[in-house]
Amino acid sequence: ASLISIIAISVDHQYKVARKAKGDKGEGEAQSFSICGDGGLVLSYVAVPSTELSYTHEAMMEIVERHEATIDEETHKIVVQGKLPKLVFVDTNCCNGKLGGRNDDNKYYYGMMKKLDSFHLIQRIGHQINDAHPRKGKFMTRLSQCTFTSSKEDMDALESARQQGKLTNLSDKEKKADRLLYVRRYISDDVKAIVAKVLLLLQTTIAQDKSIKKQHVANGDPCKNMAKSHDAYPLVAKKVMHVTRNQCIHFLNGCVHDEECMNVDLDKANYRNTGVYLNKNKSARGTTKNEVVHSVVDRVFYVTNNMRSLVFDAKGLWAITNMNRRILARMGKFALPPGVAPMEVATPLHFVATTSLRFGFDYYYHVKDKLEQKVDDNALEKLDRVAVKELDDVDADIVAELFDDEEGDTDADTAAVTIDDAKTLDIEIPDSVDMDTFQQIAFQLDDAVDSDFEAGGVDEMMPDLGATLEECSKLSQQFGESAGFD
């Protein structure tokens, strides 16, 4: 309860592990809620009945108090900054999902500005593409290249170190490991350029989809009832197009880009024993830290089921405590060795003042009982108010509340669009795409995707594009180079 974060905080829910605890208060349906800080330190780990914000309120207010900050609990805006970080990374609810749907009323979360985790954003698109599709890997790589910009200074330093060390035969896996460790990446605030690159990637991929399909048909393959792993099955199907369009909205709304430098310099390292020292970096961006916590706790309970909540809390707390000790040691801060209890240390420890912290299911029972009592109190208060009304009015109120048939706000399904045989992918995409332009281009690209593929079969040949696969590949390469792809 004394650990704090300086750059950013990240929050995330997980259902997999907490459900292994059993009891008569809904423990089997519980979820874990983790709050992580710089370097992956676990600031809080609690069990909650659901993802409702009311259940995580006390945990977040404890974090605010721990950082000596004060917020307006109604608007979540900061009153006294204290030591509270300015950013919090989330995987949902960063805006209302509509163009321009991010404002001062919904972009703050307990005094911190919400930013959407870039990993979740990219994976939302990847989940819509079959893992067996032969072109998925390259597409996802290019999508990442659209999102992130690598530091040219770090890239040049890395290349210089390789030349000095005469390292000319590194594998792709080794090169990737080098980039992760020695090259800083950032998400530019020029979100219009990022969206332009993403739309350009969609355009070239749709063009490839059509050309490959045409070539298969020309070679005698009817391409009907294709499996989604078939080379001629379009990589950008309707669902992929719709999800990608939604993620572009997050870019344009300002949910994703870096507000400040999100890279932490660790120390210098001898690059592959070449005698050249390079700066090692670690990103403080995103909720990846929370995923690590989920993985650690999952391993602890991997072979365990139907445990009591007290057992869950004891084993979980010990695992996370040891995890934090390792992280603190890497940061150069004092921490007891993993596996050592405080009572086993001969030297007296220096204790610091902390906030009141609850862990795991201790928190679960606290908030569940407290909110249930609040619901009961509100229900009794409502009954008292109703009792003073006339009987007819009471009946009318109850009926109106239970059988309200007013239609809610629902998004209409996008109507299927028939592609005109004369239509091609001659869609002009500028270097910078604002909200109005984005909507126009997104609709044009959406029209270019054949919805028949979502049903698993195609009864018609694709439109004659007037281009061979080789010509389309060259065009895609030109588009990719202009967008900054490798």
Side-chain angles (χ1 to χ4, degrees), residues 330-379:
R330 288 199 299 266
M331 292 179 171
K333 297 183 178 182
F334 170 77
L336 292 178
V340 176
M343 65 179 63
E344 298 177 289
V345 180
T347 305
L349 298 176
H350 174 65
F351 293 95
V352 297
T354 64
T355 54
S356 177
L357 176 66
R358 293 180 181 270
F359 182 90
F361 279 93
D362 178 45
Y363 179 89
Y364 175 93
Y365 297 131
H366 171 71
V367 296
K368 188 175 178 66
D369 293 343
K370 189 173 182 179
L371 289 176
E372 285 180 351
Q373 182 62 47
K374 184 176 180 180
V375 170
D376 291 342
D377 292 343
N378 290 339

Side-chain angles (χ1 to χ4, degrees), residues 125 128-130 133-140 202 205-206 208-209 228 230-241 454:
I125 301 172
Q128 302 301 323
I129 305 174
N130 191 289
H133 198 291
R135 288 179 283 134
K136 177 178 180 177
K138 188 64 175 179
F139 178 83
M140 297 305 295
L202 288 175
T205 305
I206 293 172
Q208 284 185 328
D209 287 341
K228 292 186 178 182
H230 193 290
D231 183 52
Y233 191 91
L235 189 144
V236 180
K238 279 288 185 182
K239 287 184 178 179
V240 178
M241 181 65 217
E454 293 298 337

Side-chain angles (χ1 to χ4, degrees), residues 279-329:
N279 288 324
K280 292 171 61 177
N281 307 286
K282 187 175 182 64
S283 173
R285 181 191 304 108
T287 62
T288 306
K289 303 179 287 294
N290 302 75
E291 303 302 332
V292 173
V293 177
H294 298 332
S295 177
V296 169
V297 178
D298 185 32
R299 287 199 299 269
V300 173
F301 298 110
Y302 184 73
V303 295
T304 309
N305 283 298
N306 299 323
M307 76 189 81
R308 291 186 301 164
S309 57
L310 282 176
V311 176
F312 181 95
D313 287 356
K315 296 182 69 173
L317 179 59
W318 188 236
I320 290 176
T321 297
N322 287 319
M323 176 182 173
N324 278 344
R325 289 177 179 179
R326 295 185 182 95
I327 295 173
L328 288 170

Side-chain angles (χ1 to χ4, degrees), residues 136-203:
K136 177 178 180 177
K138 188 64 175 179
F139 178 83
M140 297 305 295
T141 298
R142 291 189 168 186
L143 185 61
S144 178
Q145 291 172 344
C146 290
T147 305
F148 295 97
T149 302
S150 298
S151 167
K152 186 177 184 304
E153 177 185 355
D154 293 347
M155 290 292 291
D156 291 343
L158 179 59
E159 183 59 30
S160 175
R162 288 173 178 168
Q163 292 177 359
Q164 294 181 50
K166 298 181 180 180
L167 301 177
T168 58
N169 58 346
L170 294 178
S171 66
D172 290 341
K173 185 176 182 180
E174 290 173 322
K175 291 179 180 179
K176 181 178 180 180
D178 287 349
R179 290 195 301 270
L180 291 175
L181 191 58
Y182 299 110
V183 178
R184 291 167 293 180
R185 298 196 305 171
Y186 62 92
I187 303 177
S188 171
D189 59 359
D190 188 1
V191 294
K192 296 179 181 179
I194 293 177
V195 171
K197 289 182 179 182
V198 174
L199 294 177
L200 188 58
L201 174 61
L202 288 175
Q203 182 188 36

